[in-house]
Amino acid sequence: MPNLHTTTVELFPTAPFDFAKSVAFLGEFMPAAGEQNLDRMQITKATRLDGVTVVFRVRSTGTTEAPHLMVELFSTDPLPADLVARLSQRIGFFLSIGDDLAPFYALGQADPAFAPVIQQMHGYHQVKFLTPYENAAWAIMSTRTGMPQAKQIKDRFVAAYGDVLEVDGRRYAAFPEAHDVLGASITDLEQVVGLMRRAEFIQSASRAFATVDPAWLLEADYDEVKAWLLRIKGIGAWGSSFILIRALGRLDRLDAPEWRLMEQVARRYSVPRDEAITRQLAAHYGAYQGYWAHYLRAAG
């Protein structure tokens, strides 16, 4: 294969930032299993932006209290400066490098049941889905479906509509952009994702994310974004909350606590597994409710 072009950029996370915990989280994150190389405490993974497939490699050259990341971008053609900037922004957002954990930690230290979680997870910044479209597709694929089967569906979907780039002898598959799927017929989608209803949901999500302004998803009023997500076929209360937190970093609400979170809350706080109780405990964390929930899930 032809030589790849390499572009190097630097990222400066907000301390504390423990890159090892980001790597460890990805190593156990089933929706992305097998999609990246986590060798030698670095992350190598593929993404697509504006029809261009890029493999990025992130490694830490700093410390938890003085974090510094070096990022290599591998591509078949030279990358324009504006695309490099947007890719850097995507990678930084994926790793939540701009999140200021200090106010969250202050709230957590005042919560005796949660303080041990803060100690265990210190320096971990939420690792998101690379794109909201991928998160939405996963929400659709995993609804009423076992995790291993959902991952098989996702892998077929990526093989059908995504792209692959080889770096250092390993092929990295990039999840498709919404535009990549627009030309697929509902019959073709059904053959890939297994059910007509699921195909209709994927088609609805593809059309929605192909036309929405990504900046609007991040900056618009929370309720407006939630209402927009709920208009996508197959995205309900849980799916919209999932995407708002895990792809968009909208952490100030916990609209639909799911079963596994309530299990963790019941265990950590010695309370019944109950949605109302979970919401009440989350309210203490204000704008960091999503982080509280994510830490509980990630800490196990």
Side-chain angles (χ1 to χ4, degrees):
M1 63 178 298
N3 292 331
L4 296 176
H5 294 267
T6 305
T7 306
T8 302
V9 298
E10 297 176 279
L11 298 176
F12 298 90
T14 301
F17 179 87
D18 189 340
F19 182 69
K21 288 187 172 69
S22 302
V23 175
F25 176 83
L26 270 177
E28 298 179 358
F29 188 48
M30 175 63 80
E35 297 175 2
Q36 60 263 317
N37 186 0
L38 307 176
D39 186 43
R40 296 190 300 275
M41 292 306 295
Q42 60 188 14
I43 299 169
T44 309
K45 189 174 177 69
T47 191
R48 279 178 62 75
L49 182 57
D50 292 350
V52 177
T53 301
V54 174
V55 169
F56 61 89
R57 177 172 293 153
V58 186
R59 59 187 176 88
S60 173
T61 56
T63 65
T64 299
E65 298 305 325
H68 178 242
L69 302 177
M70 294 298 298
V71 182
E72 294 175 282
L73 305 173
F74 303 93
S75 56
T76 56
D77 298 306
L79 298 173
D82 67 317
L83 189 58
V84 170
R86 291 166 60 212
L87 284 164
S88 300
Q89 184 180 32
R90 172 175 289 185
I91 295 163
F93 193 69
F94 163 61
L95 296 172
S96 299
I97 66 171
D99 290 357
D100 181 5
L101 300 179
F104 170 51
Y105 284 178
L107 291 166
Q109 294 295 349
D111 179 352
F114 192 71
V117 178
I118 294 288
Q119 183 176 5
Q120 176 185 342
M121 302 295 292
H122 181 81
Y124 169 67
H125 289 227
Q126 175 185 209
V127 179
K128 303 183 185 79
F129 282 82
L130 263 173
T131 68
Y133 175 60
E134 179 181 352
N135 194 167
W138 175 256
I140 291 167
M141 294 171 186
S142 61
T143 298
R144 298 185 179 87
T145 304
M147 193 77 75
Q149 183 183 355
K151 187 60 173 70
Q152 292 174 2
I153 295 168
K154 183 186 179 188
D155 289 345
R156 292 199 304 268
F157 186 73
V158 172
Y161 303 109
D163 196 15
V164 174
L165 187 62
E166 183 176 321
V167 174
D168 296 336
R170 174 164 175 168
R171 289 163 58 85
Y172 293 90
F175 196 86
E177 295 181 276
H179 289 91
D180 296 324
V181 187
L182 290 181
S185 70
I186 196 70
T187 302
D188 289 341
L189 281 170
E190 181 188 12
Q191 291 177 346
V192 173
V193 301
L195 295 172
M196 175 63 73
R197 188 169 180 80
R198 189 182 292 136
E200 292 172 349
F201 294 165
I202 292 292
Q203 187 179 70
S204 176
S206 301
R207 290 171 176 168
F209 282 96
T211 55
V212 73
D213 178 0
W216 180 84
L217 293 173
L218 298 175
E219 299 166 2
D221 178 78
Y222 183 102
D223 289 324
E224 290 182 19
V225 177
K226 180 181 177 181
W228 180 85
L229 287 167
L230 289 171
R231 288 196 291 272
I232 298 172
K233 292 181 180 179
I235 300 296
W238 169 78
S240 62
S241 179
F242 185 33
I243 297 163
L244 282 158
I245 293 173
R246 299 286 290 114
L248 298 175
R250 308 290 294 258
L251 300 161
D252 52 319
R253 295 194 199 174
L254 191 62
D255 288 334
E258 37 82 34
W259 183 85
R260 289 186 181 88
L261 171 61
M262 290 189 285
E263 282 282 296
Q264 291 299 324
V265 169
R267 183 172 69 85
R268 292 278 180 179
Y269 288 84
S270 300
V271 296
R273 190 180 68 232
D274 180 81
E275 182 173 335
I277 292 173
T278 300
R279 288 177 184 274
Q280 183 180 11
L281 290 168
H284 168 74
Y285 288 88
Y288 293 88
Q289 293 182 49
Y291 247 114
W292 173 79
H294 185 57
Y295 261 44
L296 283 169
R297 288 290 310 275

